[in-house]
Amino acid sequence: MPKTTAALVIPASGVPFEQSTIERRDLRDDDISIDIRYAGICHSDIHTAREEWGPARFPLVPGHEIAGVVAEVGPSVTRFKVGDRVGVGCMVDSCGECAMCKDGEEQFCERGAVMTYGSIGYDDEVTYGGYSQSVVVSERFTCRIPEELEFEHAAPLLCAGITTYAPLVRWGAGPGKKVAVVGMGGLGHVGVKIAAAMGAEVTVLSRSLAKSEDARTYGATHHYSTAEESTFEELAGRFDVILNTVSADLPMGDYLGLLRPFGAIVNVGLPPSSYEFAPGAVVGRSRVLAGSMIGGIADTQAMLDFCAKHGVGAEVEVITADEVMTAYDKVVAGDVRYRYVIDTSTIQPK
Ligand code: NAP
Ligand code: ZN
């Protein structure tokens, strides 16, 4: 019998969250049932719930930054046991057989990865995310949360951590490299910590200087306001890698001008608008404008292990289920330091 669990549900387009219940499937052989402790609020949840990326699938239960404890395991599960500390990120299934899956890049599965919420699983059932008290996931899509990381600080790493870690590795952040992080929000602040832990020289580019002190605490050595014209003159041609995490439109041409020859902007922000830049902005100095989408499961585990080793966790504000609607507005207004995390034990079906 499928199990009923408490969840924060948006029943239909444009309607507020309700504290309600959903059903989780019976465990398949390779499934794990997880008691969720905390679920992070990613800006992608907000883009989705507000249908800024196009129509969403309702009822919607967002949440792809999940941390909790294994409550039950299916008969063929080998890597986890009851009581283990685990996390689930943006994906819950993929074919496991295509070249991308075999390469550990399940997000690019040729059959189509099944996302943690608002997606249709291979069983034709809609997926419901982490704003809930439990979830059933294949062990293939479950990561181990090292003891050093507390659940609430670890939850956001399952999206914000891997989304910044994977491109920083891919584009060579490390000693001797100058890395800029644009936008110090949920993704950005974790990106700053990870890039600094990798040994890069990190600069934060923010809308104002309000986060300067925090940026330095997280390992940045420089912090600039992009509201000042002089910032773009002073930093022209400086960076090897720029990680853009901004959730809104950006004058991309101006930022391309901050790259050294052959330098790369890696874009992870997903505003609904388009970027505009002149071809010369990339042709000149052979610059690169790249994108990056989350990261595979093995890389997600590597990221968690890296964060545990280097003492990197997300800075969080823990909230109750009642506070989620307000939290969404605050994230959009930039009024969060730096990730809201829902204490899922506070979800009370009415
Ligand atoms: P967030 O916490 O809201 O952070 C975004 C940051 O961007 C803000 O803190 C702010 O930094 C800056 N910003 C916001 N509005 C701005 C504006 N109007 N103009 C200039 N800067 C602005 O969001 P997040 O959760 O980190 O997510 C960031 C983006 O990444 C979202 O679009 C999300 O959908 C996307 N995302 C992509 C992936 C992927 O796989 N590529 C994964 C997860 C999320 P300052 O105050 O420092 O300026
Ligand atoms: Zn996310």
Side-chain angles (χ1 to χ4, degrees):
M1 281 284 288
K3 272 200 196 121
T4 300
T5 181
L8 273 162
V9 183
I10 304 177
S13 180
V15 167
F17 277 103
E18 280 176 7
Q19 299 186 41
S20 178
T21 56
I22 53 168
E23 304 229 303
R24 296 298 191 184
R25 66 171 180 252
D26 286 335
L27 263 59
R28 299 176 189 147
D29 286 358
D30 67 339
D31 271 346
I32 291 175
S33 177
I34 299 167
D35 280 347
I36 300 174
R37 297 286 168 82
Y38 295 96
I41 295 180
C42 175
H43 207 120
S44 299
D45 303 347
I46 304 173
H47 290 310
T48 305
R50 297 189 171 173
E51 299 190 285
E52 292 167 358
W53 290 335
R57 201 169 265 124
F58 295 97
L60 180 75
V61 179
H64 57 210
E65 295 187 336
I66 300 170
V69 178
V70 176
E72 210 182 328
V73 297
S76 71
V77 169
T78 56
R79 292 172 41 237
F80 299 96
K81 59 179 190 321
V82 172
D84 282 354
R85 307 170 80 248
V86 291
V88 177
C90 299
M91 296 178 281
V92 288
D93 207 359
S94 74
C95 81
E97 287 162 9
C98 71
M100 283 290 121
C101 285
K102 286 197 168 132
D103 246 14
E105 303 284 1
E106 296 88 348
Q107 68 277 26
F108 305 129
C109 170
E110 287 164 21
R111 185 173 167 190
V114 178
M115 306 316 277
T116 305
Y117 63 82
S119 205
I120 306 269
Y122 294 162
D123 57 1
D124 288 331
E125 296 291 327
V126 175
T127 55
Y128 295 124
Y131 297 6
S132 163
Q133 287 176 350
S134 93
V135 65
V136 173
V137 189
S138 162
E139 71 167 331
R140 291 189 297 124
F141 287 83
T142 307
C143 293
R144 191 170 296 284
I145 295 180
E147 288 295 332
E148 296 87 336
L149 296 171
E150 288 171 281
F151 285 122
E152 59 270 48
H153 300 286
L157 299 178
L158 273 300
C159 174
I162 184 61
T163 301
T164 52
Y165 175 86
L168 287 168
V169 170
R170 186 178 182 86
W171 292 94
K177 292 292 169 71
K178 290 187 168 66
V179 172
V181 175
V182 189
M184 203 171 87
L187 263 55
H189 89 286
V190 172
V192 170
K193 290 186 179 193
I194 290 176
M198 287 172 170
E201 181 189 302
V202 184
T203 298
V204 173
L205 304 176
S206 260
R207 288 170 291 177
S208 75
L209 293 176
K211 299 173 180 171
S212 281
E213 210 171 298
D214 289 345
R216 288 196 169 76
T217 311
Y218 306 154
T221 46
H222 304 83
H223 187 283
Y224 288 85
S225 164
T226 53
E228 304 292 331
E229 284 279 304
S230 59
T231 293
F232 290 89
E233 286 156 27
E234 192 180 333
L235 299 179
R238 175 161 316 185
F239 300 107
D240 298 287
V241 180
I242 299 176
L243 184 67
N244 174 35
T245 74
V246 173
S247 51
D249 193 16
L250 205 70
M252 193 53 82
D254 293 352
Y255 286 85
L256 283 162
L258 306 184
L259 290 173
R260 291 161 61 96
F262 304 106
I265 291 189
V266 196
N267 194 72
V268 295
L270 278 168
S273 51
S274 304
Y275 299 122
E276 265 188 34
F277 57 93
V282 283
V283 173
R285 302 198 186 193
S286 298
R287 290 158 168 144
V288 178
L289 176 55
S292 190
M293 181 181 156
I294 48 173
I297 298 301
D299 286 344
T300 305
Q301 186 63 61
M303 174 278 304
L304 287 166
D305 296 342
F306 176 91
C307 287
K309 185 173 164 203
H310 294 275
V312 172
E315 302 297 318
V316 301
E317 295 186 45
V318 175
I319 59 169
T320 62
D322 287 331
E323 295 171 305
V324 172
M325 292 292 291
T326 314
Y328 270 32
D329 291 335
K330 286 186 168 177
V331 171
V332 174
D335 185 14
V336 50
R337 297 291 187 274
Y338 279 87
R339 199 53 133 191
Y340 284 118
V341 167
I342 306 164
D343 174 350
T344 55
S345 70
T346 63
I347 305 173
Q348 292 180 317
K350 305 246 158 57

